[in-house]
Amino acid sequence: MASGNYAKKPAPQPASDVQSKIPARATRRLPDPVDVEEIDDEVETVAPRRKRTNTLPSAPASTDTIHTEPILTRTKTKTTNAVQQPYGSRPLATFGRTTVVDTPRPTTLQQHGRWLKPAVIAMLMAVLFSAILVSAALIQRPGGPQLINYFGGQVYSVQVGGNLANTWQPSKPLPPKVNIPAHPGPYSVLGKPTLSVAFINQVLGSYGSPAAGKGQALYDLGVKYQIDPAFALAFFFHESGFGTAGEARKTLSLGNLRCIPNAACVDRNPDGTGGYASFPTWEAGFEAWYKLIRNLYVAQLGLVTVDQIIPTYAPTADHNNEAAYIGSLKHELDVWHAGILKP
């Protein structure tokens, strides 16, 4: 038989009652089980993984300046003995660095010298050739210095009529022996005066002609022989510059006529050929030209216009340029008819 506390044991209590009597701080609530994949997703969203980068640690601080330029750098060096490279050439690499030689920019002449020099030479040759042609033309034109060689008397016969020379010298207009067209066309020598006496005198005076002031004689003789005195003035200018050059300075001949009957003949060749008709006054020289044109070229040969007259009056056989002569006469007439003194 038991005594004291051992006498009676207490009955066991339910588990819920026991747990409620444990202090709160002594209890620990275990987390609910979670899925591992869900945790990974949350971590990835909140803090994404860092990418590995191959970076070098920063250099320690120092008071010395660190040059970060590459070994090969473009440097400009000026040397007096350096060979200049063409403009725009690549730099020369020497001993681990690039050396750029300072060269002056080429001038315009240097840039275009390859084609400019031949062009200049060609232009000079063209100018020289043109000067030679002009000089030859001036020498050959009857109005310039009389350097024309005359051989055999062929031109003499053609210009003044040869065996017809005696037939055109009467001091009056002869009736035509051939049919003269009613409308001969432009630049016909036949007609009334188209220039006034005052204008003719102005032209002669502007060139310092020794026949200056003789405009009235030119005008009156043109009316007498039915030839427009403007043509006489044009021939006078082309043949001798209004008596300022060539044989006309001593022969007083408007048209530099070759030797003819009833006129003195000067400057003949040693064999008796050639020569020029010489007259005592300018008026006599004017009238001889009017007779030649009116009584030989128009009345007997039927030649009325400048284009028809010149091939006989100043033929190529006498070293004349017929086309240039015709063009010159027409130009002079056009200029004077426009009221201009000097062509």
Side-chain angles (χ1 to χ4, degrees):
M1 182 174 152
S3 60
N5 291 337
Y6 297 103
K8 188 178 180 178
K9 296 181 179 180
Q13 295 181 0
S16 59
D17 294 337
V18 175
Q19 185 177 1
S20 60
K21 293 180 180 181
I22 298 174
R25 66 174 181 270
T27 63
R28 183 178 65 179
R29 184 179 179 85
L30 296 175
D32 295 334
V34 294
D35 192 3
V36 177
E37 293 181 359
E38 293 179 359
I39 294 174
D40 291 340
D41 292 340
E42 290 181 1
V43 172
E44 187 70 18
T45 303
V46 175
R49 295 178 181 179
R50 294 182 179 178
K51 296 182 181 180
R52 296 183 62 185
T53 57
N54 296 328
T55 58
L56 297 177
S58 57
S62 174
T63 57
D64 297 333
T65 302
I66 299 176
H67 295 278
T68 59
E69 295 182 357
I71 296 176
L72 291 176
T73 58
R74 293 176 60 89
T75 61
K76 294 185 178 181
T77 61
K78 295 184 179 179
T79 58
T80 56
N81 297 328
V83 178
Q84 292 187 352
Q85 300 296 323
Y87 178 73
S89 62
R90 293 185 177 180
L92 303 176
T94 58
F95 301 103
R97 67 176 184 176
T98 301
T99 301
V100 178
V101 179
D102 253 350
T103 57
R105 184 178 183 87
T107 63
T108 303
L109 183 61
Q110 291 173 341
Q111 290 179 346
H112 303 286
R114 181 174 298 178
W115 63 266
L116 190 58
K117 290 181 180 179
V120 172
I121 293 174
M123 291 176 61
L124 291 176
M125 293 180 64
V127 171
L128 180 61
F129 183 73
S130 300
I132 293 174
L133 290 180
V134 171
S135 300
L138 292 176
I139 291 173
Q140 296 299 331
R141 63 178 291 185
Q146 295 298 323
L147 302 178
I148 299 173
N149 293 325
Y150 179 80
F151 301 100
Q154 298 92 336
V155 177
Y156 166 80
S157 299
V158 172
Q159 183 197 36
V160 296
N163 55 3
L164 298 176
N166 288 316
T167 64
W168 56 264
Q169 295 190 54
S171 297
K172 62 179 181 180
L174 298 178
K177 295 184 178 180
V178 295
N179 293 327
I180 299 175
H183 303 284
Y187 302 103
S188 171
V189 297
L190 292 175
K192 297 179 180 180
T194 57
L195 299 178
S196 66
V197 174
F199 187 83
I200 294 174
N201 282 329
Q202 288 178 354
V203 172
L204 294 175
S206 65
Y207 282 90
S209 171
K214 304 291 184 180
Q216 189 66 56
L218 276 175
Y219 187 94
D220 293 341
L221 288 169
V223 173
K224 176 181 178 180
Y225 290 94
Q226 302 170 0
I227 301 293
D228 184 356
F231 288 88
L233 193 67
F235 273 83
F236 195 13
F237 175 69
H238 191 82
E239 287 290 339
S240 62
F242 301 123
T244 61
E247 291 285 338
R249 290 176 296 181
K250 59 182 178 181
T251 62
L252 309 184
S253 176
L254 181 150
N256 277 335
L257 303 186
R258 296 293 182 172
C259 294
I260 57 175
N262 303 325
C265 186
V266 298
D267 296 337
R268 280 187 179 272
N269 295 323
D271 60 358
T273 60
Y276 294 89
S278 180
F279 303 95
T281 63
W282 282 112
E283 290 81 357
F286 295 164
E287 188 167 14
W289 184 86
Y290 277 110
K291 291 178 183 179
L292 175 67
I293 299 301
R294 176 61 178 82
N295 293 339
L296 177 63
Y297 284 86
V298 175
Q300 299 187 53
L301 303 179
L303 306 177
V304 178
T305 65
V306 168
D307 298 86
Q308 296 170 344
I309 293 172
I310 292 302
T312 302
Y313 185 92
T316 304
D318 199 15
H319 309 286
N320 294 295
N321 187 331
E322 298 175 9
Y325 202 135
I326 293 171
S328 177
L329 293 178
K330 291 181 177 179
H331 173 69
E332 291 151 13
L333 291 167
D334 292 340
V335 169
W336 290 330
H337 287 152
I340 302 173
L341 292 179
K342 292 187 176 183

